[in-house]
Amino acid sequence: MAQQHTISKLRPQVSDDYKDKINFVGRKEYDLIKGKKNDIIFIVVGLEHHDAIFSFQCFVMLIDGGCFLKNPDERGEKIITYGIPINKIEDLILYSKVLKIHKENYFHLGHGENYEVYSFNNANTLGFRVGAEEKKVKEIFQINLKANISNRDAKALMIIMLHLLGELSTSSNFSDIDIWGTFPSSNPDNQDTSVTFIKEAIRLIDGSKVNKEPLIRHTKRQKKQTSGKLYKYENKINDDFQTLRANPVIKDKIKGAVICIIDDYITTGYSAEAAKHILLEAGAKKVIFISVGKFGREYFSTEYNIEGDVYGDYAANFVSESDFNGRGYTDNDTEFLEFIGKIE
């Protein structure tokens, strides 16, 4: 779906193999999207600001069509910021496949009616069952999710985003989300993370108007990757409780809302549990925590008594925990990983 002058440039580039699978329509065909079927993928190829707005209103993927302009600087700001860049028509086909190929989440655990946690991929790279190609893909994901803005690979990051978007846009589990957020970095000054970029693109496509983070970190904490395993088990969520609070700026919007928090990885589950306790205590109706990947086979479900105001000063007292070791997992989505491994 694009403006007519863009379609005239796209159509001749479609190879014979895909001519019966790709159809170009103008933006006036809005009724097609409203009646879309599961076997049809709608994509907006945009150049101008109103193309981006149109894609957000329709809740469909936005492609940056700058490669079809003699002067790419003429693109609208929202196209540059949130559009997925392509260099050729094959990229368009590739991204469409990424949206559809993911079949099953690696990890899912529900806890009552007000909390669920999902990890879309097995992030483990050790073990005899992990092949070289699978390991390479997982390491590319990890590098780009942890990288700063100057070191990210745009195509890898877009594939990760589409991977999440494909699940989020087709599963009824995520159809009622009111607020999208991220689990804050250990450093409050680090706002421009890969996960934040992915979340913001998904938020706009989903149509949520709440652009503030539901969780804020007010004080820097030790990175979990640098703390020892024994420290994690003994400390549990204490460091997060001491440095996190619910965002008072959107207090009225958090109350009664379904909130989805996105993070890069889950290991023990303590970050997800921190988000659960703080946001439910803040008045959220339900918390959904999703991550791109899951390390290990542990997940600790915790119980805490919280005293005070989670929008300001509070204390959390540990009650108990249960280790859901090995529960909630499925076989790895090898078809998706093998497909990604073939991308140059």
Side-chain angles (χ1 to χ4, degrees):
M1 183 167 288
Q3 297 183 67
Q4 289 302 325
H5 64 275
T6 305
I7 292 175
S8 65
K9 296 177 181 179
L10 282 169
R11 198 186 301 277
Q13 298 188 47
V14 179
S15 66
D16 292 339
D17 294 337
Y18 291 99
K19 283 185 176 179
D20 61 339
K21 298 177 181 178
I22 296 179
N23 185 32
F24 296 99
V25 295
R27 281 185 7 199
K28 293 181 180 180
E29 303 294 337
Y30 178 69
D31 288 341
L32 281 175
I33 294 180
K34 292 193 293 184
K36 62 183 176 183
K37 299 178 181 179
N38 291 333
D39 57 347
I40 300 176
I41 300 174
F42 285 94
I43 296 172
V44 172
V45 180
L47 298 172
E48 302 170 6
H49 173 81
H50 54 260
D51 293 328
I53 300 301
F54 179 77
S55 76
F56 301 153
Q57 291 173 340
C58 298
F59 311 138
V60 296
M61 181 169 62
L62 174 66
I63 290 291
D64 180 347
C67 64
F68 304 109
L69 292 175
K70 290 182 179 179
N71 182 9
D73 292 337
E74 294 178 356
R75 291 170 296 165
E77 182 179 346
K78 289 189 181 296
I79 299 292
I80 297 171
T81 304
Y82 299 111
I84 298 168
I86 62 172
N87 296 314
K88 51 188 183 299
I89 194 68
E90 284 76 14
D91 290 340
L92 197 62
I93 297 166
L94 165 67
Y95 292 146
S96 300
K97 288 181 178 179
V98 173
L99 278 173
K100 295 291 283 186
I101 199 168
H102 179 62
K103 293 182 178 179
E104 194 168 21
N105 298 321
Y106 174 62
F107 174 72
H108 170 236
L109 192 65
H111 187 73
E113 296 182 354
N114 57 9
Y115 177 69
E116 287 187 279
V117 56
Y118 296 84
S119 290
F120 291 168
N121 297 288
N122 176 352
N124 299 300
T125 57
L126 301 177
F128 69 93
R129 293 184 177 180
V130 181
E133 200 67 49
E134 180 181 335
K135 182 178 181 180
K136 183 187 80 171
V137 172
K138 291 177 178 180
E139 289 175 344
I140 290 172
F141 274 29
Q142 186 172 357
I143 288 169
N144 283 279
L145 284 168
K146 299 294 185 183
N148 59 41
I149 189 169
S150 60
N151 295 327
R152 298 172 196 157
D153 179 85
K155 179 174 282 190
L157 196 59
M158 290 303 173
I159 287 172
I160 295 171
M161 186 188 79
L162 290 174
H163 181 39
L164 267 65
L165 186 59
E167 173 68 16
L168 296 172
S169 62
T170 57
S171 173
S172 59
N173 297 323
F174 310 103
S175 59
D176 297 323
I177 293 171
D178 302 302
I179 301 174
W180 295 89
T182 59
F183 192 77
S185 169
S186 57
N187 184 354
D189 296 329
N190 185 18
Q191 300 291 324
D192 188 19
T193 66
S194 296
V195 174
T196 301
F197 171 83
I198 290 170
K199 180 272 300 183
E200 189 62 10
I202 291 174
R203 179 188 72 82
L204 287 167
I205 291 172
D206 185 57
S208 172
K209 295 182 180 180
V210 182
N211 61 1
K212 302 291 185 182
E213 289 284 350
L215 287 171
I216 54 175
R217 195 175 298 279
H218 55 83
T219 305
K220 188 175 181 178
R221 61 147 293 165
Q222 180 182 359
K223 286 186 177 182
K224 294 183 180 179
Q225 297 94 321
T226 61
S227 57
K229 194 170 184 179
L230 181 60
Y231 178 83
K232 290 180 182 179
Y233 291 145
E234 292 179 345
N235 186 267
K236 305 184 191 305
I237 314 176
N238 292 342
D239 284 353
D240 282 323
F241 282 142
Q242 292 168 8
T243 59
L244 286 175
R245 64 170 62 109
N247 191 347
V249 175
I250 55 171
K251 184 175 182 178
D252 60 328
K253 292 182 171 60
I254 288 176
K255 292 184 179 298
V258 177
I259 301 176
C260 183
I261 299 295
I262 303 176
D263 202 4
D264 48 13
Y265 294 101
I266 292 174
T267 303
T268 58
Y270 286 136
S271 294
E273 290 290 301
K276 175 188 79 174
H277 289 299
I278 295 171
L279 291 173
L280 289 178
E281 183 69 21
K285 176 182 177 181
K286 182 176 183 179
V287 175
I288 301 172
F289 194 99
I290 65 175
S291 71
V292 176
K294 174 78 173 69
F295 289 110
R297 302 280 288 183
E298 295 175 316
Y299 185 92
F300 292 94
S301 178
T302 61
E303 295 296 332
Y304 279 82
N305 286 330
I306 295 180
E307 299 175 354
D309 181 10
V310 291
Y311 290 97
D313 296 326
Y314 66 96
N317 302 305
F318 176 73
V319 177
S320 64
E321 71 178 7
S322 301
D323 181 7
F324 287 83
N325 195 323
R327 284 183 278 174
Y329 296 86
T330 63
D331 291 335
N332 193 23
D333 194 352
T334 54
E335 183 182 358
F336 170 76
L337 293 170
E338 289 170 0
F339 172 74
I340 299 302
K342 296 175 183 178
I343 298 173
E344 297 180 355

